[in-house]
Amino acid sequence: MNCIAAAPSSALPRIYSSRSITTLKRRCLHASPSLSATPLPSTQPGPPPTAPLPPSSQYGERVDRRRRQAELIKRGQDLRTSHMKPGTAMKKRFWKDVAVRTTSDGLHTIYLDSRPVRNPQTKVPLSIPPSKPHLATAIGLEWDLLTSAQQALRAHLIPLTSIASRAHDLAIQDAATASSSQASESTAVHQSRTIRDDIIMTLIPYLDTDTLLCWAPPTPKEADPTTTVVPSLRDLQARVAEPIISYLTTSVWPGVQLNPSLDEGSIFPTEQPRQTKDIIRGWMTGLNAWELVGLERAVLAGKSLCVGARLLCEWGESFADVRKALGSGSHQGVQRFGIEDAAQACSIEVMWQTGRWGEVEDTHDVDKEDLRSQFGSAVLVASGTTQA
């Protein structure tokens, strides 16, 4: 019990002995009894602590997450397959080998064992032109990677087969139209719209909202000359677009005027001149079936008719003479325009934004790979062995 001794005021000047202090009055501050701690012996010692583990890297976490996602997708595929009716042929792969065979007239046909791959619309065997053996091999690889016949019903699993079938349909229709070109004028006026007309009518409107021609508004310049100037989004867009526009307006569409789609301070696109659209429409009318379908795939993927036309002129089979002339003439040293260049030209704004704020996983990276896949299929369909 803690106590403080209180001495009378008259006795303060005096010096007390230790014995006399005990006789002084005491005033208690509290009345709780004091308890002393009683230590207990440690009779059951526990195991030693585990060693600290180093933090896992971000790459390892991403790989593990992707592996778990792949397992879930595989489990879902197996579950969907198990719900099918027993005995159906759609749940399994009915072919063992895939082969590309060449007919006597040079056409390439893909065979599943002894069955040819057929056009889903006309039900005739899908034949690839003699100058496109790489496309036939790629289509055969697509079918060799399938694990069931049900997967062949999904267009995203056989993209090359889908685009080749569309080009095959267009080629058959063009041949039928050419054979009936001697028909009467009245019959020609009342004939139905063709696949070629549908493609051209779909692609022409992309010219007014072309991704390559939609530039960001200009930003004010810094007044301080010592400040580090960072290229704006508009500067990057113009730097990428100008070489492509120059190539198209001098080598592909001479005399055509291509204006930026967005004026300063406006959100509504500016239409291209009517003469420009007429020239480009006539240019697309002269393309063969395989190049027109390749152009359609590239434009729909990149939302840019200019980028699609530039990619087609670089890899199209019928543009080999133009590339040869440009490579040996005044345009010698023109850089090749490939899939990566086309993808970057259509994704300048996305790349600029993700460079500042970062990418969204499983969104931006998936779109990036899908865009390059679409451009790759367009190159395979349009190119051939006769290109320079």
Side-chain angles (χ1 to χ4, degrees), residues 254-278:
V256 166
Q257 182 181 1
L258 295 175
N259 303 321
S261 298
L262 295 178
D263 294 332
E264 183 177 353
S266 175
I267 62 174
F268 297 101
T270 303
E271 292 189 5
Q272 299 295 332
R274 185 177 183 85
Q275 183 181 5
T276 298
K277 294 183 178 180
D278 293 339

Side-chain angles (χ1 to χ4, degrees), residues 142 150-163 297 374:
E142 275 187 349
Q150 187 182 19
Q151 293 181 349
L153 301 178
R154 303 174 183 177
H156 67 279
L157 295 179
I158 48 173
L160 290 177
T161 306
S162 302
I163 189 174
R297 174 64 64 89
Q374 299 292 337

Side-chain angles (χ1 to χ4, degrees), residues 331-365:
H331 292 78
Q332 186 174 5
V334 175
Q335 189 176 2
R336 297 297 298 267
F337 190 81
I339 297 174
E340 189 67 26
D341 300 320
Q344 292 181 1
C346 295
S347 309
I348 290 295
E349 184 175 358
V350 176
M351 295 170 57
W352 188 78
Q353 295 287 357
T354 54
R356 298 184 62 185
W357 312 109
E359 290 187 353
V360 177
E361 189 177 358
D362 294 335
T363 301
H364 289 111
D365 51 352

Side-chain angles (χ1 to χ4, degrees), residues 33-346:
S34 61
L35 299 176
S36 58
T38 303
L40 299 176
S42 178
T43 57
Q44 295 181 353
T50 58
L53 299 176
S56 59
S57 62
Q58 184 179 3
Y59 176 77
E61 293 179 356
R62 179 176 299 183
V63 171
D64 294 340
R65 184 164 55 255
R66 293 290 177 84
R67 185 180 294 110
R68 291 193 298 268
Q69 292 175 355
E71 293 176 355
L72 292 176
I73 293 174
K74 182 64 169 60
R75 190 179 305 172
Q77 292 177 352
D78 296 340
L79 183 62
R80 286 192 298 268
T81 304
S82 63
H83 288 169
M84 299 178 63
K85 295 181 180 180
T88 178
M90 299 297 293
K91 66 179 181 180
K92 62 181 181 180
R93 171 172 164 166
F94 61 83
W95 66 92
K96 294 183 179 180
D97 299 324
V98 180
V100 178
R101 302 175 186 175
T102 305
T103 60
S104 58
D105 52 357
L107 298 176
H108 304 288
T109 307
I110 298 89
Y111 278 84
L112 309 179
D113 294 338
S114 59
R115 304 179 181 89
V117 174
R118 296 181 179 274
N119 190 313
Q121 298 294 333
T122 60
K123 305 303 180 182
V124 298
L126 179 62
S127 57
I128 309 300
S131 61
K132 302 181 184 299
H134 300 90
L135 176 61
T137 304
I139 295 175
L141 182 60
E142 275 187 349
W143 285 87
D144 196 29
L145 293 176
L146 299 181
T147 58
S148 66
Q150 187 182 19
Q151 293 181 349
L153 301 178
R154 303 174 183 177
H156 67 279
L157 295 179
I158 48 173
L160 290 177
T161 306
S162 302
I163 189 174
S165 299
R166 182 166 177 80
H168 188 249
D169 292 338
L170 180 57
I172 294 176
Q173 193 176 76
D174 288 345
T177 303
S179 62
S180 61
S181 59
Q182 302 299 328
S184 61
E185 184 177 356
S186 60
T187 304
V189 171
H190 295 88
Q191 66 180 356
S192 60
R193 197 171 60 185
T194 61
I195 300 177
R196 180 177 292 271
D197 297 333
D198 291 337
I199 294 176
I200 295 176
M201 291 183 62
T202 303
L203 299 186
I204 284 295
Y206 278 91
L207 196 61
D208 295 332
T209 58
D210 198 293
T211 302
L212 192 71
L213 303 178
C214 290
W215 297 355
T219 56
K221 302 295 182 181
E222 295 289 344
D224 188 2
T226 60
T227 305
T228 303
V229 179
V230 179
S232 63
L233 175 58
R234 185 181 181 88
D235 296 337
L236 296 176
Q237 290 172 330
R239 187 183 307 170
V240 174
E242 287 173 355
I244 300 176
I245 296 175
S246 176
Y247 182 92
L248 295 176
T249 54
T250 56
S251 304
V252 184
W253 309 318
V256 166
Q257 182 181 1
L258 295 175
N259 303 321
S261 298
L262 295 178
D263 294 332
E264 183 177 353
S266 175
I267 62 174
F268 297 101
T270 303
E271 292 189 5
Q272 299 295 332
R274 185 177 183 85
Q275 183 181 5
T276 298
K277 294 183 178 180
D278 293 339
I279 293 176
I280 297 177
R281 185 181 291 107
W283 175 78
M284 287 192 292
T285 304
L287 297 175
N288 62 49
W290 298 86
E291 291 175 345
L292 183 60
V293 171
L295 177 65
E296 180 189 27
R297 174 64 64 89
V299 174
L300 295 180
K303 308 299 184 293
S304 173
L305 181 58
C306 295
V307 174
R310 180 66 182 91
L311 189 67
L312 177 64
C313 294
E314 188 67 33
W315 299 98
E317 190 174 5
S318 61
F319 294 92
D321 295 337
V322 177
R323 291 192 297 270
K324 186 176 181 180
L326 292 177
S328 59
S330 59
H331 292 78
Q332 186 174 5
V334 175
Q335 189 176 2
R336 297 297 298 267
F337 190 81
I339 297 174
E340 189 67 26
D341 300 320
Q344 292 181 1
C346 295

